[in-house]
Amino acid sequence: MSSTANGKHGTWRNWGGNVTALPARQVTPASVEELAAEVRAAAERGQRVKAVGTGHSFTSVATTDGVLIRPDLLTGIRAIDRAAMTVTVEAGTPLKRLNAALAREGLSLTNMGDIMEQTVAGATSTGTHGTGRESGSIAAQITGLELVTADGSVLTCSAEQNPEIFAAARIGLGALGVVTALTLAVEPLFLLTAREEPMPLDRVLAEFDQLWAENEHFEFYWFPHTGSTNTKRNNRSEGPAQPVGRVAGWFEDEFLSNGVFQAVQWVGRAAPVSVPAIARVSSRALSARSYTDIPYRVFTSPRRVRFVEMEYAVPRAALAETLRELRAVIERSGLRVSFPVEVRTAPADDIALSTASGRDSAYIAVHMFRGTPYQAYFSAAERVFTAHEGRPHWGKVHTRDAGYLEWVYPRFAEFTALRNRLDPERLFQNDYLRRVLG
C-alpha cells in the first residue's frame, strides 16, 4: 500500500486556501481492490474515510480527521466504447488530461465547466457545470459509475444496474461511498465558435431570454460598481478552426485575465477605496473577439488568480430579478467588490442533489480575491439568493443546512434514505455532510 509523497500525516489544504484538514492517515491506493481494503480497514479501526480530488472545492466537503484517500494513482482511460459512444475513466483523472486524451481520439464531452484542474470524480460529485441551453453538468453526462461502499464492496451502477443508486450517486458528495470510475457519454470531436463582446448589464437582463434561446451556450460576467458586462456565446461551427492567435491569446488570457488581474486584486485588497475605479477600467479592458476551436479550448480557461467563491442556482425565470437585487445590495452596502459576477445556465436534470434537479436553472457566482474578507459580501448575496429558493453549489462557500436544503430539493429525502441504507454507520461522514445532510 503506497502512501502520499508527504508521508502518512501532514496538513491538507484546498486550492482556495480557506479549508485545511489534518487526517490521521493519507493513502494513495494503486487499484480499486487496494482502495476497498483501505475502506474496510478504516471501518475496523473506527476511522472515518473521505476521498479528495485536487481541492478545488471551497467547502470542507472532502475533509476528514480519519483516512484521506488520494486518487493520484487511479487515473487514465479504462475503455472507449465507440458503438455506445462512451468513455470509462478512473476517478482520479484530471479533467484536463481527459479532455486532451479524448481530443486525440477524435472525441469530446458535450459540455464542461470553465476550469479543468479538477479530478473527474471530484468535479461530478459536487455538481461542477458549465453553461448550456440543452446540455447540463458533467454529472448529467454520466451513464455509469463504480462505487466502493462502506462495507468495502464494489458496485457497478447505471440506469439498468442499481438504478436507484445511480440516480443519486452521480452527485453524491462522497456521502454514499468512494467513486472509483465513471462512464461518460461522448460524441465525435466538434468545433465551437466563441463570440465574446461587452454589453450593458441592463440590456443583457432585458434580452436574457432571447440570448439564452439563440445560443447553445451563453454566459456573462458583470463587473460590480459598473453597468458593464462581458458576454460569451459558444455555438457549434462547421469550421474552419480559427484558434485565438498565440500573442492575442497570451495577452487576453494570461496577461489581462491572470497577470494584470492578479495585480489589480492586490491593489484592491490593499486599498479597497480604489475598487470601483479599477472595476470601471477592468470592464473596458476586454474587447470583442471571436474564435473557433475544439470544445475544451473554448469552454475552459486557465485560472491562476486564486479566489474564494459562492455560487447559487436559482430558477432561470428568476435570474433578472435576482441579479437586480444583488446589484442594489452591493450599491447600498458600501461593499467593494473587485471580482466580476459570473452568470450561467443549465437545463433541468434528473439527479437527486443536482442544483438543476427538476428545474431549469441560472447560476450566479460571486467571488473574492483569496485573502480578502469575503463574509459580509457573501452573506448579503446569500440572503438575495435564498429569497429565490436558491440552491448552493456543493463545492462553494455557503451557510445552508439540511433544514433549508430539504425545502429546496424535492428529492432530498430520497437521497438521505439511500445514504442510511448504504452507510448506516456514517463511515463517510464529516462535519460538512452532517450540516448539509443532517
Side-chain angles (χ1 to χ4, degrees):
M1 188 76 55
S2 49
S3 62
T4 51
N6 61 347
K8 295 196 175 181
H9 299 283
T11 302
W12 175 87
R13 275 186 180 78
N14 72 333
W15 181 86
N18 66 316
V19 176
T20 58
L22 191 61
R25 178 176 163 82
Q26 297 190 40
V27 296
T28 53
S31 66
V32 177
E33 294 72 30
E34 273 190 22
L35 191 151
E38 281 288 357
V39 168
R40 285 192 292 271
E44 283 163 21
R45 290 193 301 268
Q47 287 179 312
R48 301 211 190 278
V49 178
K50 292 308 292 179
V52 71
T54 52
H56 260 263
S57 287
F58 301 98
T59 59
S60 51
V61 63
T63 60
T64 187
D65 56 4
V67 177
L68 190 69
I69 295 175
R70 314 283 299 248
D72 309 25
L73 301 177
L74 297 174
T75 64
I77 290 176
R78 276 192 196 177
I80 293 173
D81 183 338
R82 288 182 188 272
M85 286 306 279
T86 60
V87 59
T88 300
V89 61
E90 303 275 354
T93 309
L95 286 169
K96 61 184 176 187
R97 280 180 48 196
L98 173 63
N99 287 334
L102 286 175
R104 284 195 299 273
E105 296 284 345
L107 301 168
S108 177
L109 297 173
T110 299
N111 199 354
M112 54 194 82
D114 63 0
I115 296 177
M116 55 175 179
E117 300 300 317
Q118 311 99 313
T119 61
V120 63
T124 54
S125 294
T126 54
T128 296
H129 62 89
T131 190
R133 185 181 59 204
E134 280 111 23
S135 52
S137 68
I138 307 175
Q141 298 167 70
I142 296 174
T143 63
L145 60 89
E146 184 180 81
L147 185 73
V148 174
T149 56
D151 61 4
S153 52
V154 182
L155 299 183
T156 303
C157 308
S158 67
E160 292 75 42
Q161 273 183 288
N162 297 306
E164 73 294 349
I165 298 175
F166 177 69
R170 284 172 287 170
I171 298 179
L173 315 185
L176 305 176
V178 179
V179 174
T180 48
L182 291 161
T183 300
L184 294 153
V186 292
E187 56 176 302
L189 193 64
F190 55 95
L191 291 171
L192 283 173
T193 293
R195 191 169 129 216
E196 299 174 8
E197 64 175 328
M199 196 182 284
L201 176 64
D202 289 333
R203 185 183 153 200
V204 173
L205 295 182
E207 298 176 13
F208 180 75
D209 288 340
Q210 184 184 345
L211 289 162
W212 170 83
E214 288 175 354
N215 296 283
E216 290 175 69
H217 309 274
F218 177 72
E219 65 187 302
F220 68 92
Y221 295 84
W222 166 55
F223 296 83
H225 314 296
T226 79
S228 307
T229 76
N230 196 45
T231 63
K232 185 176 181 185
R233 310 156 204 224
N234 300 330
N235 291 288
R236 292 190 186 225
S237 167
E238 292 299 311
Q242 290 180 307
V244 177
R246 188 170 290 179
V247 174
W250 177 84
F251 182 72
E252 289 272 349
D253 297 323
E254 289 300 331
F255 183 68
L256 283 182
S257 299
N258 285 301
V260 172
F261 193 55
Q262 175 90 45
V264 161
Q265 295 302 319
W266 282 330
V267 171
R269 187 167 70 185
V273 70
S274 67
V275 165
I278 289 171
R280 287 190 289 275
V281 173
S282 298
S283 70
R284 289 197 293 265
L286 294 170
S287 53
R289 65 173 179 169
S290 186
Y291 51 95
T292 301
D293 211 333
I294 59 173
Y296 81 85
R297 293 190 189 134
V298 174
F299 284 132
T300 73
S301 42
R303 291 275 186 270
R304 297 192 224 293
V305 179
R306 300 210 174 198
F307 52 81
V308 178
E309 179 178 1
M310 166 183 281
E311 182 183 64
Y312 268 75
V314 297
R316 201 184 71 232
L319 170 71
E321 188 186 347
T322 307
L323 207 56
R324 287 188 186 107
E325 288 173 19
L326 180 63
R327 176 170 60 176
V329 162
I330 291 172
E331 284 170 0
R332 277 201 311 270
S333 66
L335 289 164
R336 296 285 179 259
V337 180
S338 59
F339 245 89
V341 173
E342 182 180 25
V343 178
R344 296 175 289 175
T345 68
D349 64 38
D350 64 347
I351 305 169
L353 290 189
S354 167
T355 43
S357 183
R359 76 181 188 195
D360 292 341
S361 299
Y363 294 93
I364 305 174
V366 296
H367 310 70
M368 271 292 199
F369 184 43
R370 178 173 164 172
T372 308
Y374 61 83
Q375 287 82 356
Y377 175 34
F378 284 12
S379 296
E382 192 170 41
R383 283 193 292 275
V384 173
F385 301 149
T386 54
H388 292 278
E389 296 185 22
R391 297 170 179 170
H393 188 301
W394 298 108
K396 299 177 186 179
V397 175
H398 69 93
T399 67
R400 300 299 90 188
D401 62 16
Y404 173 87
L405 295 163
E406 185 176 40
W407 173 61
V408 293
Y409 280 97
R411 296 172 63 184
F412 192 81
E414 176 189 323
F415 187 92
T416 53
L418 182 65
R419 180 185 181 218
N420 290 337
R421 194 182 102 204
L422 290 179
D423 187 15
E425 302 298 319
R426 297 291 187 263
L427 181 70
F428 302 114
Q429 173 87 288
N430 63 8
D431 290 344
Y432 178 75
L433 294 183
R434 189 177 291 112
R435 169 163 72 90
V436 299
L437 297 178

